[in-house]
Amino acid sequence: MTILVTGANGQLGNEMCIVTKGSKDRFIFTDVCNEHPESLEMLHKLAGDDVDTTTTKLDITNLDAIRQIVKENDVKFIVNCAAWTNVDGAEDSEKYELVELLNAKAPENLAIAMKEVRGLLVHISTDYVFGGDPYNIPCREDQKGTPTGVYGLTKLHGEQNIQKTGVNHLIFRTAWLYSEFGKNFVKTMLNFTATKPQLKVVFDQVGTPTHARDLAKAIFDIIENRRYEGNTGVYHYSNEGVCSWFDFTKMIAEYSGHTACDIQPCHSDEFPSPVKRPAFSVLDKSKVKETFGVIVPYWTESLLTCIKSLI
Ligand SMILES: NC(=O)c1ccc[n+]([C@@H]2O[C@H](COP(=O)([O-])OP(=O)(O)OC[C@H]3O[C@@H](n4cnc5c(N)ncnc54)[C@H](OP(=O)(O)O)[C@@H]3O)[C@@H](O)[C@H]2O)c1
């Protein structure tokens, strides 16, 4: 079976490359640009010198290009790790069409291409499809999604567009993704807690961090063991547990030994942002655990794993 991964140069895409090493299936890793040199170095560090780091160029906004690579390689699965992920940047009104193209139209392109070959599309969505309603219990898959910003709205459109095509699909909504690759909150806070004597971090936004490696492992296990058969639909996957960005930062500082930095909680309105982020977007993971039997690590255990690799 040939499986195509998009957005291979991103956080989740790189983690997919690590966890699929040695698979009985053939994986083709693609992205709109060539590999980033610093990612290659980390890939070799984490997966060994013999890991295949080839990235084939593919722009997922181009349906003909998707059809061509699917046909040439007899692709039967696509794992879509590509997206517009800059939440603040998505609020720039001049960027709306581009964000919608990447987060809503491009997943539809992938769905059309998979529908044509009776394949399966695995797509990644976000906890930010929630947030507009004042929930205070973990969000379930069938709950109404009312996003607070353009990123969440366009990701919700992406889910709806995939569903409309009638393709076999698995949509994993995840949250607060971080990894050894790319830019993310963990790397930023590792730097800040090492260099700043004081730091204020918001405590009024609550969710669950997710190490992208854990999500990649869950996706790979479901594909490799063909667990998706008869189980297509929407699933929630984050790490286990609940915290605020303030709690998250405290653990980053503790695990990295950056204890000299004085970290204090603050309210979101102390950091004006172009987008209102959800105050509570904890995902209920009962369905993914019951359906696929996946093990979901507690967020602090996974954070420690990532920090050990980074420092
Ligand atoms: N990051 C989070 O906190 C978070 C939270 C919840 C859900 N998610 C979802 O999880 C998934 C993976 O996120 P991530 O953090 O791994 O993303 P990421 O690191 O931003 O990677 C996305 C990749 O997609 C590429 N890309 C951009 N435009 C493309 C195009 N037209 N065709 C093909 N590839 C293109 C990007 O390339 P360039 O960098 O060159 O643009 C980048 O390599 C996304 O669906 C995201 O919405 C993320």
Side-chain angles (χ1 to χ4, degrees):
M1 180 96 81
T2 302
I3 299 164
L4 186 135
V5 178
T6 68
N9 297 338
Q11 299 192 79
L12 183 62
N14 273 293
E15 300 289 358
M16 285 299 299
C17 183
I18 293 175
V19 304
T20 55
K21 189 184 154 190
S23 167
K24 61 178 189 272
D25 293 313
R26 174 182 173 230
F27 281 82
I28 303 173
F29 289 90
T30 69
D31 203 294
V32 71
C33 292
N34 290 326
E35 308 88 339
H36 304 159
E38 69 278 14
S39 294
L40 292 185
E41 205 177 303
M42 183 56 84
L43 262 181
H44 286 299
K45 181 179 163 190
L46 294 171
D49 287 336
D50 58 338
V51 66
D52 183 2
T53 58
T54 314
T55 302
T56 303
K57 276 199 183 182
L58 175 67
D59 179 347
I60 62 166
T61 63
N62 183 339
L63 178 56
D64 288 339
I66 300 167
R67 282 183 168 134
Q68 191 181 341
I69 197 168
V70 165
K71 191 172 173 204
E72 282 172 3
N73 295 280
D74 193 20
V75 173
K76 285 286 184 295
F77 273 43
I78 293 178
V79 181
N80 180 26
C81 304
W84 176 290
T85 55
N86 179 346
V87 176
D88 285 343
E91 295 301 313
D92 179 345
S93 56
E94 288 182 11
K95 296 273 167 37
Y96 182 84
E97 279 181 22
L98 188 58
V99 183
E100 178 78 9
L101 178 65
L102 200 47
N103 286 350
K105 180 70 184 132
E108 184 183 352
N109 289 342
L110 298 169
I112 291 168
M114 281 299 92
K115 171 89 173 163
E116 286 169 354
V117 298
R118 295 192 188 162
L120 179 96
L121 174 63
V122 179
H123 175 72
I124 317 302
S125 191
T126 170
D127 59 330
Y128 280 25
V129 300
F130 299 110
D133 291 315
Y135 298 125
N136 59 5
I137 54 166
C139 302
R140 291 164 53 98
E141 285 80 355
D142 54 3
Q143 209 160 303
K144 192 167 143 254
T146 48
T148 56
V150 169
Y151 169 72
L153 182 68
T154 56
K155 292 293 288 184
L156 186 61
H157 291 163
E159 293 183 11
Q160 291 163 345
N161 287 352
I162 290 169
Q163 287 158 343
K164 267 189 248 162
T165 65
V167 71
N168 274 331
H169 63 271
L170 291 171
I171 295 173
F172 291 98
R173 293 191 188 126
T174 191
W176 297 24
L177 213 58
Y178 66 89
S179 87
E180 287 84 346
F181 300 93
K183 288 185 194 151
N184 56 60
F185 187 82
V186 172
K187 286 184 171 180
T188 302
M189 288 303 164
L190 274 176
N191 178 30
F192 283 0
T193 55
T195 53
K196 291 179 186 285
Q198 282 178 327
L199 199 57
K200 282 184 175 179
V201 188
V202 300
F203 78 108
D204 56 2
Q205 291 169 29
V206 174
T208 314
T210 308
H211 188 196
R213 180 96 41 86
D214 295 330
L215 175 59
K217 278 183 190 161
I219 292 170
F220 179 53
D221 176 58
I222 291 164
I223 295 174
E224 181 91 335
N225 298 305
R226 313 294 189 243
R227 295 192 205 279
Y228 49 83
E229 281 163 8
N231 289 318
T232 58
V234 180
Y235 294 89
H236 287 171
Y237 186 99
S238 67
N239 277 135
E240 209 66 91
V242 178
C243 69
S244 69
W245 294 107
F246 164 73
D247 301 308
F248 194 10
T249 308
K250 290 287 282 183
M251 289 313 292
I252 293 166
E254 186 178 322
Y255 285 155
S256 57
H258 299 163
T259 47
C261 181
D262 176 23
I263 305 161
Q264 293 298 327
C266 70
H267 291 95
S268 298
D269 57 15
E270 285 193 50
F271 288 102
S273 157
V275 62
K276 186 179 180 324
R277 288 178 162 75
F280 185 95
S281 59
V282 178
L283 299 174
D284 185 326
K285 295 164 287 289
S286 307
K287 186 179 169 192
V288 79
K289 289 191 281 189
E290 282 160 18
T291 309
F292 300 115
V294 297
I295 308 292
V296 183
Y298 186 59
W299 71 273
T300 58
E301 291 162 18
S302 297
L303 177 62
L304 184 58
T305 304
C306 182
I307 288 181
K308 278 182 179 168
S309 303
L310 285 170
I311 59 175

